[in-house]
Amino acid sequence: MQSSEETLSGWGNIPAAASQVFYPQTARDIRAALDSGKILPRGLGRSYADQATNREHHILKMEKMNHFLAFDAEKGILHCEAGVSLEEIIDHLAPRGWFPLITPGTKFITIGGAIANDVHGKAHHADGSFVNCVYDFTILLANGEIVRASRDENADLFWANFGGLGLLGTILTATLQLRKIETTYFVQKAVAARNLDEMLAAIDVSEQTYSSSVAWIDSMAKGKNLGRGVLTMGNHALLKDLPPKLRTNPLKLGKKAKLAVPFYLPSFTLNTLTVKILNTALYIMQKNGAPIAHYDKFFYPLDMINNWNRGYGKRGFIQYQFVLPMEKGPENIRKILTEITQSNCVPFLNVLKKFGKGQGGLLSFPFEGYTFAIDFPITKQLKPFTQKLDKMVLDMGGRIYLGKDAYLDEPTFKAMYPQHKDWQEIKKKYDPRDVFSSDLSRRLGLA
């Protein structure tokens, strides 16, 4: 099996960790790699920090195990290898009228990665997280055994893998439910909000009509304008919703990205002045959005720019995402937004959403409440500041998204995720020698 010494990082360009990297094509390849020591499966590397790095240990890059195995064209049920990406599902099956049931803000993730992080998207209040579209999966365990896991068979292993960050074994295949569509377009509407109260009210109203919604917040707005932004909401467009010009090719696929950030931009590029200018431009662009949008613009706007993460410079960035309970949610969101706008850390791209009820994964992130995600370029002040935010989130009954976390410490993590004890019992059952590990698992005491 092909292997090489490589230095890998998360999508935020942190941390840089050297590992021996294997490229398995079969379960036999993975079994052979198990003898080499501690190991971790990795998809397309879109987790932001140390979720898929394994310093001085081993990585399984699953990109070559990306075959479709069976497809029920009547019911939209796909059986595929775990290295299949959402992009590949869209490219092959959207022209046949099927689309991923649940998708985050990038299509460049594998099915295995989607399970490991129990990803969510703009429609969590309507569709939930990724577990809701998975019937079952097969997983190769630390002892080399391959087992099937579902809600009825090895149920403890099934639920522990959603949000389990690849630490229980290597997922080989999965059976997924796709969504039947008439078009690859969305009927969308944008609402400009002058402050946080208006924004939260608009989000509440949007849930009654739209399956997908996400708010962009001006990260530099303060005082009476705190929470100023644009809420974009939408539903899958029916054929009758399209203008005549688009009806000629209603299941049109997106084009490959032509724009790219060719090199790491200087760290001084993102500063208070430039972010204010960019925020103003984003506000104008989003509030004047078209009534019909293609899926690429609606779901995956950043995928249209290759290597956009280089825009944060060589020092990299984090995406800080938390969720807070509905009770006192507006009040607490206001407190944290105020803390962010008054900090010395320059915040940039962000999203505010409302979650529906959680789906039951032991380490899965979403629960019913408000979630906010915001990008911060790496600075000396950033880690102490996020630790301050961590305490605020914990005191408010919230938690941090492990799929994006970079700095959370073990005691805070365990307080935020009290079900970690149940998860660790399952880990001991299926991986008693801790064969599957990561930099994150050691940082948070999951190893």
Side-chain angles (χ1 to χ4, degrees):
M1 176 175 52
Q2 179 187 353
S3 69
S4 59
E5 183 77 19
E6 297 181 29
T7 298
L8 302 174
S9 66
W11 185 244
N13 297 315
I14 59 166
S19 301
Q20 187 71 22
V21 180
F22 298 94
Y23 291 83
Q25 299 186 54
T26 65
R28 178 180 296 179
D29 290 341
I30 297 173
R31 285 195 182 100
L34 291 177
D35 296 331
S36 61
K38 293 188 180 299
I39 203 159
L40 179 73
R42 177 182 169 111
L44 293 176
R46 286 300 178 113
S47 296
Y48 279 74
D50 58 358
Q51 292 80 7
T53 60
N54 205 14
R55 187 181 301 275
E56 298 181 358
H57 295 293
H58 302 86
I59 291 285
L60 294 170
K61 291 194 75 173
M62 301 295 292
E63 57 200 50
K64 293 186 177 182
M65 297 184 69
N66 65 334
H67 300 93
F68 288 15
L69 302 174
F71 181 61
D72 186 328
E74 295 296 320
K75 298 180 180 179
I77 299 175
L78 173 66
H79 185 52
C80 65
E81 291 184 315
V84 167
S85 70
L86 293 187
E87 179 192 31
E88 290 167 328
I89 291 175
I90 294 168
D91 286 351
H92 288 88
L93 298 179
R96 298 174 63 178
W98 297 96
F99 202 82
L101 184 65
I102 293 161
T103 176
T106 177
K107 57 182 177 289
F108 300 131
I109 64 166
T110 63
I111 297 305
I115 291 171
N117 293 280
D118 195 19
V119 297
H120 58 272
K122 296 180 179 181
H124 188 274
H125 64 278
D127 297 326
S129 55
F130 201 74
V131 67
N132 280 2
C133 73
V134 178
Y135 290 108
D136 59 56
F137 57 80
T138 60
I139 183 170
L140 192 151
L141 301 175
N143 63 4
E145 181 185 2
I146 297 174
V147 301
R148 178 181 177 271
S150 69
R151 290 167 179 80
D152 301 316
E153 184 178 359
N154 297 307
D156 59 346
L157 187 60
F158 179 84
W159 290 107
N161 268 280
F162 287 92
L165 301 166
L167 298 171
L168 295 166
T170 302
I171 295 175
L172 301 177
T173 67
T175 307
L176 314 172
Q177 178 65 57
L178 303 183
R179 182 190 304 278
K180 184 63 176 173
I181 57 171
E182 292 185 17
T183 81
T184 51
Y185 292 86
F186 282 78
V187 177
Q188 69 171 5
K189 179 181 179 182
V191 174
R194 292 172 295 182
N195 52 49
L196 185 61
D197 289 337
E198 286 190 6
M199 180 61 76
L200 295 177
I203 291 174
D204 287 342
V205 172
S206 75
E207 290 185 346
Q208 301 171 23
T209 309
Y210 294 94
S211 61
S212 296
S213 64
V214 63
W216 166 84
I217 301 293
D218 184 343
S219 58
M220 306 301 286
K222 301 179 181 180
K224 67 178 183 179
N225 296 319
L226 183 75
R228 180 181 83 117
V230 179
L231 174 67
T232 303
M233 49 203 132
N235 292 320
H236 279 269
L238 303 177
L239 189 60
K240 66 180 181 180
D241 297 324
L242 300 186
K245 183 179 179 180
L246 297 181
R247 288 184 195 174
T248 59
N249 187 11
L251 295 170
K252 178 182 177 181
L253 290 177
K255 297 179 180 179
K256 300 298 180 182
K258 294 181 179 180
L259 295 176
V261 180
F263 51 83
Y264 291 100
L265 297 181
S267 298
F268 61 78
T269 303
L270 282 180
N271 54 53
T272 302
L273 176 60
T274 58
V275 170
K276 283 184 178 180
I277 295 171
L278 289 168
N279 277 342
T280 299
L282 285 169
Y283 181 78
I284 294 171
M285 288 170 58
Q286 294 193 66
K287 77 172 183 177
N288 295 320
I292 299 291
H294 191 251
Y295 71 81
D296 263 338
K297 290 186 177 179
F298 187 79
F299 276 138
Y300 315 118
L302 288 175
D303 283 351
M304 300 169 73
I305 305 174
N306 289 320
N307 300 316
W308 63 263
N309 56 337
R310 293 177 178 173
Y312 288 93
K314 287 187 177 181
R315 287 186 295 186
F317 73 104
I318 67 167
Q319 185 169 106
Y320 187 86
Q321 183 169 2
F322 60 89
V323 58
L324 300 176
M326 293 295 296
E327 184 181 2
K328 296 185 178 179
E331 174 188 337
N332 289 333
I333 285 282
R334 184 182 303 279
K335 289 178 180 177
I336 293 182
L337 271 179
T338 300
E339 198 70 41
I340 290 172
T341 59
Q342 292 178 351
S343 73
N344 292 324
C345 300
V346 180
F348 185 38
L349 293 175
N350 64 81
V351 293
L352 173 65
K353 295 179 288 192
K354 193 174 176 183
F355 281 157
K357 293 182 179 180
Q359 273 65 59
L362 294 180
L363 296 182
S364 183
F365 168 66
F367 62 70
E368 191 170 17
Y370 296 95
T371 181
F372 188 65
I374 187 163
D375 290 358
F376 290 102
I378 300 293
T379 63
K380 292 181 180 179
Q381 300 88 3
L382 183 58
K383 185 174 181 179
F385 177 62
T386 61
Q387 289 174 329
K388 181 179 181 179
L389 293 182
D390 291 344
K391 186 178 185 309
M392 292 179 67
V393 170
L394 177 61
D395 290 345
M396 294 171 180
R399 61 188 178 210
I400 305 300
Y401 188 14
L402 300 183
K404 296 178 179 177
D405 169 59
Y407 295 139
L408 198 62
D409 60 43
E410 181 178 343
T412 307
F413 153 69
K414 290 184 174 178
M416 288 179 172
Y417 286 85
Q419 286 180 291
H420 75 272
K421 294 180 180 179
D422 297 329
W423 186 91
Q424 286 179 306
E425 287 302 312
I426 297 170
K427 169 76 167 174
K428 290 176 184 177
K429 175 181 175 181
Y430 291 101
D431 185 14
R433 295 184 295 112
D434 196 39
V435 172
F436 291 93
S437 67
S438 67
D439 293 331
L440 177 141
S441 73
R442 289 181 283 276
R443 171 166 61 88
L444 297 184
L446 283 170

